[in-house]
Amino acid sequence: MATSDVFNYNVPAESDFGYSQAIKSGELIHVSGQLSFDEAGEFLHAGDFAAQLKQTYANMDKVLDHYGATRNQVVSQTLYVVNLRQNAAATAEGNLGYFGDHRPASTVLGVTELSLPGQVIEISFVIDTKLPA
């Protein structure tokens, strides 16, 4: 029988929009789009792609830590990038820096805007806890 485990930061957006940051079902963890926010749920670094990417990856690490998972167990990711052509090199550099030699399946979408004013990056991902850490 499959089990589930929900993870939240307990920030206002979770209750305002009715979602969880992540949910574990069996061995898979599906993670909602992570973005540049702090522990209080305040959006950080409006318009600053590099700073938002760094904070987004830090928030991804918080989800991984909660489940005792590692970056090597991320099997897929979807990146939503405003001004993709302008930010393509920084996106690739950030991704290589975050994952090192690990290569999850990846989809990068150029979008015209995201949820918050000044938001330029959002990343959702899936973790398989059966994979070696």
PDB file of all heavy atoms in Angstrom, residues 73-93:
ATOM      1  N   GLN A  73      19.208  12.033  -6.563  1.00  0.00           N
ATOM      2  CA  GLN A  73      17.936  11.323  -6.641  1.00  0.00           C
ATOM      3  C   GLN A  73      16.870  12.118  -7.403  1.00  0.00           C
ATOM      4  O   GLN A  73      15.760  11.640  -7.574  1.00  0.00           O
ATOM      5  CB  GLN A  73      17.453  10.966  -5.236  1.00  0.00           C
ATOM      6  CG  GLN A  73      18.365   9.936  -4.568  1.00  0.00           C
ATOM      7  CD  GLN A  73      18.045   9.748  -3.112  1.00  0.00           C
ATOM      8  OE1 GLN A  73      18.085  10.692  -2.329  1.00  0.00           O
ATOM      9  NE2 GLN A  73      17.711   8.524  -2.747  1.00  0.00           N
ATOM     10  N   VAL A  74      17.224  13.308  -7.864  1.00  0.00           N
ATOM     11  CA  VAL A  74      16.310  14.087  -8.706  1.00  0.00           C
ATOM     12  C   VAL A  74      16.300  13.435 -10.091  1.00  0.00           C
ATOM     13  O   VAL A  74      17.341  13.297 -10.729  1.00  0.00           O
ATOM     14  CB  VAL A  74      16.749  15.562  -8.803  1.00  0.00           C
ATOM     15  CG1 VAL A  74      15.865  16.333  -9.781  1.00  0.00           C
ATOM     16  CG2 VAL A  74      16.718  16.220  -7.423  1.00  0.00           C
ATOM     17  N   VAL A  75      15.118  12.989 -10.529  1.00  0.00           N
ATOM     18  CA  VAL A  75      15.025  12.293 -11.816  1.00  0.00           C
ATOM     19  C   VAL A  75      14.551  13.202 -12.945  1.00  0.00           C
ATOM     20  O   VAL A  75      14.826  12.938 -14.113  1.00  0.00           O
ATOM     21  CB  VAL A  75      14.140  11.039 -11.735  1.00  0.00           C
ATOM     22  CG1 VAL A  75      14.787   9.987 -10.859  1.00  0.00           C
ATOM     23  CG2 VAL A  75      12.736  11.355 -11.263  1.00  0.00           C
ATOM     24  N   SER A  76      13.830  14.263 -12.607  1.00  0.00           N
ATOM     25  CA  SER A  76      13.398  15.197 -13.644  1.00  0.00           C
ATOM     26  C   SER A  76      13.156  16.567 -13.035  1.00  0.00           C
ATOM     27  O   SER A  76      12.901  16.695 -11.840  1.00  0.00           O
ATOM     28  CB  SER A  76      12.134  14.700 -14.352  1.00  0.00           C
ATOM     29  OG  SER A  76      11.031  14.734 -13.473  1.00  0.00           O
ATOM     30  N   GLN A  77      13.256  17.566 -13.899  1.00  0.00           N
ATOM     31  CA  GLN A  77      12.991  18.935 -13.477  1.00  0.00           C
ATOM     32  C   GLN A  77      12.390  19.702 -14.641  1.00  0.00           C
ATOM     33  O   GLN A  77      12.626  19.380 -15.803  1.00  0.00           O
ATOM     34  CB  GLN A  77      14.272  19.619 -12.999  1.00  0.00           C
ATOM     35  CG  GLN A  77      15.307  19.785 -14.090  1.00  0.00           C
ATOM     36  CD  GLN A  77      16.525  20.577 -13.648  1.00  0.00           C
ATOM     37  OE1 GLN A  77      16.499  21.279 -12.647  1.00  0.00           O
ATOM     38  NE2 GLN A  77      17.595  20.483 -14.405  1.00  0.00           N
ATOM     39  N   THR A  78      11.597  20.709 -14.290  1.00  0.00           N
ATOM     40  CA  THR A  78      11.063  21.637 -15.278  1.00  0.00           C
ATOM     41  C   THR A  78      11.408  23.038 -14.803  1.00  0.00           C
ATOM     42  O   THR A  78      11.090  23.408 -13.672  1.00  0.00           O
ATOM     43  CB  THR A  78       9.540  21.484 -15.430  1.00  0.00           C
ATOM     44  OG1 THR A  78       9.250  20.120 -15.784  1.00  0.00           O
ATOM     45  CG2 THR A  78       9.005  22.416 -16.501  1.00  0.00           C
ATOM     46  N   LEU A  79      12.092  23.777 -15.654  1.00  0.00           N
ATOM     47  CA  LEU A  79      12.479  25.149 -15.342  1.00  0.00           C
ATOM     48  C   LEU A  79      11.647  26.103 -16.185  1.00  0.00           C
ATOM     49  O   LEU A  79      11.520  25.919 -17.408  1.00  0.00           O
ATOM     50  CB  LEU A  79      13.963  25.381 -15.651  1.00  0.00           C
ATOM     51  CG  LEU A  79      14.963  24.591 -14.826  1.00  0.00           C
ATOM     52  CD1 LEU A  79      15.243  23.243 -15.459  1.00  0.00           C
ATOM     53  CD2 LEU A  79      16.237  25.371 -14.660  1.00  0.00           C
ATOM     54  N   TYR A  80      11.082  27.104 -15.539  1.00  0.00           N
ATOM     55  CA  TYR A  80      10.306  28.146 -16.198  1.00  0.00           C
ATOM     56  C   TYR A  80      11.132  29.423 -16.100  1.00  0.00           C
ATOM     57  O   TYR A  80      11.413  29.898 -14.991  1.00  0.00           O
ATOM     58  CB  TYR A  80       8.956  28.331 -15.517  1.00  0.00           C
ATOM     59  CG  TYR A  80       8.162  27.045 -15.463  1.00  0.00           C
ATOM     60  CD1 TYR A  80       8.296  26.170 -14.391  1.00  0.00           C
ATOM     61  CD2 TYR A  80       7.291  26.699 -16.497  1.00  0.00           C
ATOM     62  CE1 TYR A  80       7.580  24.977 -14.339  1.00  0.00           C
ATOM     63  CE2 TYR A  80       6.574  25.512 -16.452  1.00  0.00           C
ATOM     64  CZ  TYR A  80       6.722  24.656 -15.375  1.00  0.00           C
ATOM     65  OH  TYR A  80       6.022  23.479 -15.326  1.00  0.00           O
ATOM     66  N   VAL A  81      11.537  29.962 -17.255  1.00  0.00           N
ATOM     67  CA  VAL A  81      12.489  31.077 -17.278  1.00  0.00           C
ATOM     68  C   VAL A  81      11.921  32.230 -18.095  1.00  0.00           C
ATOM     69  O   VAL A  81      11.578  32.062 -19.275  1.00  0.00           O
ATOM     70  CB  VAL A  81      13.838  30.623 -17.885  1.00  0.00           C
ATOM     71  CG1 VAL A  81      14.832  31.776 -17.902  1.00  0.00           C
ATOM     72  CG2 VAL A  81      14.405  29.432 -17.120  1.00  0.00           C
ATOM     73  N   VAL A  82      11.839  33.394 -17.473  1.00  0.00           N
ATOM     74  CA  VAL A  82      11.461  34.612 -18.185  1.00  0.00           C
ATOM     75  C   VAL A  82      12.691  35.084 -18.962  1.00  0.00           C
ATOM     76  O   VAL A  82      13.818  35.015 -18.459  1.00  0.00           O
ATOM     77  CB  VAL A  82      10.975  35.696 -17.197  1.00  0.00           C
ATOM     78  CG1 VAL A  82      10.702  37.013 -17.921  1.00  0.00           C
ATOM     79  CG2 VAL A  82       9.724  35.218 -16.462  1.00  0.00           C
ATOM     80  N   ASN A  83      12.488  35.538 -20.192  1.00  0.00           N
ATOM     81  CA  ASN A  83      13.586  35.978 -21.058  1.00  0.00           C
ATOM     82  C   ASN A  83      14.626  34.876 -21.218  1.00  0.00           C
ATOM     83  O   ASN A  83      15.811  35.061 -20.950  1.00  0.00           O
ATOM     84  CB  ASN A  83      14.240  37.259 -20.528  1.00  0.00           C
ATOM     85  CG  ASN A  83      13.296  38.427 -20.504  1.00  0.00           C
ATOM     86  OD1 ASN A  83      12.490  38.611 -21.410  1.00  0.00           O
ATOM     87  ND2 ASN A  83      13.364  39.222 -19.443  1.00  0.00           N
ATOM     88  N   LEU A  84      14.180  33.720 -21.669  1.00  0.00           N
ATOM     89  CA  LEU A  84      15.048  32.546 -21.762  1.00  0.00           C
ATOM     90  C   LEU A  84      16.292  32.812 -22.597  1.00  0.00           C
ATOM     91  O   LEU A  84      17.393  32.428 -22.187  1.00  0.00           O
ATOM     92  CB  LEU A  84      14.278  31.347 -22.316  1.00  0.00           C
ATOM     93  CG  LEU A  84      15.081  30.059 -22.465  1.00  0.00           C
ATOM     94  CD1 LEU A  84      15.706  29.642 -21.139  1.00  0.00           C
ATOM     95  CD2 LEU A  84      14.201  28.957 -23.010  1.00  0.00           C
ATOM     96  N   ARG A  85      16.166  33.433 -23.718  1.00  0.00           N
ATOM     97  CA  ARG A  85      17.349  33.667 -24.560  1.00  0.00           C
ATOM     98  C   ARG A  85      18.388  34.491 -23.816  1.00  0.00           C
ATOM     99  O   ARG A  85      19.573  34.209 -23.859  1.00  0.00           O
ATOM    100  CB  ARG A  85      16.951  34.326 -25.866  1.00  0.00           C
ATOM    101  CG  ARG A  85      16.222  33.367 -26.769  1.00  0.00           C
ATOM    102  CD  ARG A  85      16.052  33.916 -28.180  1.00  0.00           C
ATOM    103  NE  ARG A  85      15.344  32.932 -28.969  1.00  0.00           N
ATOM    104  CZ  ARG A  85      14.177  33.147 -29.546  1.00  0.00           C
ATOM    105  NH1 ARG A  85      13.590  34.323 -29.435  1.00  0.00           N
ATOM    106  NH2 ARG A  85      13.598  32.191 -30.247  1.00  0.00           N
ATOM    107  N   GLN A  86      17.930  35.487 -23.111  1.00  0.00           N
ATOM    108  CA  GLN A  86      18.839  36.339 -22.328  1.00  0.00           C
ATOM    109  C   GLN A  86      19.435  35.579 -21.154  1.00  0.00           C
ATOM    110  O   GLN A  86      20.581  35.811 -20.775  1.00  0.00           O
ATOM    111  CB  GLN A  86      18.082  37.565 -21.830  1.00  0.00           C
ATOM    112  CG  GLN A  86      18.871  38.472 -20.915  1.00  0.00           C
ATOM    113  CD  GLN A  86      17.998  39.597 -20.371  1.00  0.00           C
ATOM    114  OE1 GLN A  86      16.981  39.961 -20.950  1.00  0.00           O
ATOM    115  NE2 GLN A  86      18.398  40.136 -19.246  1.00  0.00           N
ATOM    116  N   ASN A  87      18.683  34.656 -20.559  1.00  0.00           N
ATOM    117  CA  ASN A  87      19.118  33.958 -19.351  1.00  0.00           C
ATOM    118  C   ASN A  87      19.561  32.517 -19.594  1.00  0.00           C
ATOM    119  O   ASN A  87      19.809  31.778 -18.630  1.00  0.00           O
ATOM    120  CB  ASN A  87      17.982  33.980 -18.320  1.00  0.00           C
ATOM    121  CG  ASN A  87      17.712  35.378 -17.820  1.00  0.00           C
ATOM    122  OD1 ASN A  87      18.620  36.105 -17.449  1.00  0.00           O
ATOM    123  ND2 ASN A  87      16.447  35.775 -17.838  1.00  0.00           N
ATOM    124  N   ALA A  88      19.676  32.100 -20.854  1.00  0.00           N
ATOM    125  CA  ALA A  88      20.013  30.712 -21.162  1.00  0.00           C
ATOM    126  C   ALA A  88      21.374  30.302 -20.603  1.00  0.00           C
ATOM    127  O   ALA A  88      21.506  29.237 -19.985  1.00  0.00           O
ATOM    128  CB  ALA A  88      19.967  30.472 -22.672  1.00  0.00           C
ATOM    129  N   ALA A  89      22.386  31.110 -20.794  1.00  0.00           N
ATOM    130  CA  ALA A  89      23.730  30.745 -20.317  1.00  0.00           C
ATOM    131  C   ALA A  89      23.756  30.663 -18.796  1.00  0.00           C
ATOM    132  O   ALA A  89      24.338  29.729 -18.223  1.00  0.00           O
ATOM    133  CB  ALA A  89      24.764  31.751 -20.821  1.00  0.00           C
ATOM    134  N   ALA A  90      23.120  31.600 -18.122  1.00  0.00           N
ATOM    135  CA  ALA A  90      23.085  31.576 -16.650  1.00  0.00           C
ATOM    136  C   ALA A  90      22.275  30.386 -16.148  1.00  0.00           C
ATOM    137  O   ALA A  90      22.623  29.786 -15.125  1.00  0.00           O
ATOM    138  CB  ALA A  90      22.496  32.887 -16.119  1.00  0.00           C
ATOM    139  N   THR A  91      21.212  30.024 -16.880  1.00  0.00           N
ATOM    140  CA  THR A  91      20.413  28.856 -16.513  1.00  0.00           C
ATOM    141  C   THR A  91      21.263  27.594 -16.602  1.00  0.00           C
ATOM    142  O   THR A  91      21.285  26.773 -15.674  1.00  0.00           O
ATOM    143  CB  THR A  91      19.180  28.729 -17.431  1.00  0.00           C
ATOM    144  OG1 THR A  91      18.386  29.912 -17.309  1.00  0.00           O
ATOM    145  CG2 THR A  91      18.341  27.522 -17.081  1.00  0.00           C
ATOM    146  N   ALA A  92      21.969  27.425 -17.706  1.00  0.00           N
ATOM    147  CA  ALA A  92      22.823  26.247 -17.898  1.00  0.00           C
ATOM    148  C   ALA A  92      23.940  26.204 -16.856  1.00  0.00           C
ATOM    149  O   ALA A  92      24.196  25.151 -16.256  1.00  0.00           O
ATOM    150  CB  ALA A  92      23.420  26.260 -19.302  1.00  0.00           C
ATOM    151  N   GLU A  93      24.572  27.331 -16.607  1.00  0.00           N
ATOM    152  CA  GLU A  93      25.651  27.384 -15.620  1.00  0.00           C
ATOM    153  C   GLU A  93      25.146  27.044 -14.218  1.00  0.00           C
ATOM    154  O   GLU A  93      25.767  26.272 -13.491  1.00  0.00           O
ATOM    155  CB  GLU A  93      26.268  28.789 -15.612  1.00  0.00           C
ATOM    156  CG  GLU A  93      27.426  28.938 -14.651  1.00  0.00           C
ATOM    157  CD  GLU A  93      28.005  30.345 -14.689  1.00  0.00           C
ATOM    158  OE1 GLU A  93      27.983  30.986 -15.753  1.00  0.00           O
ATOM    159  OE2 GLU A  93      28.475  30.799 -13.621  1.00  0.00           O
TER     160      GLU A  93
END
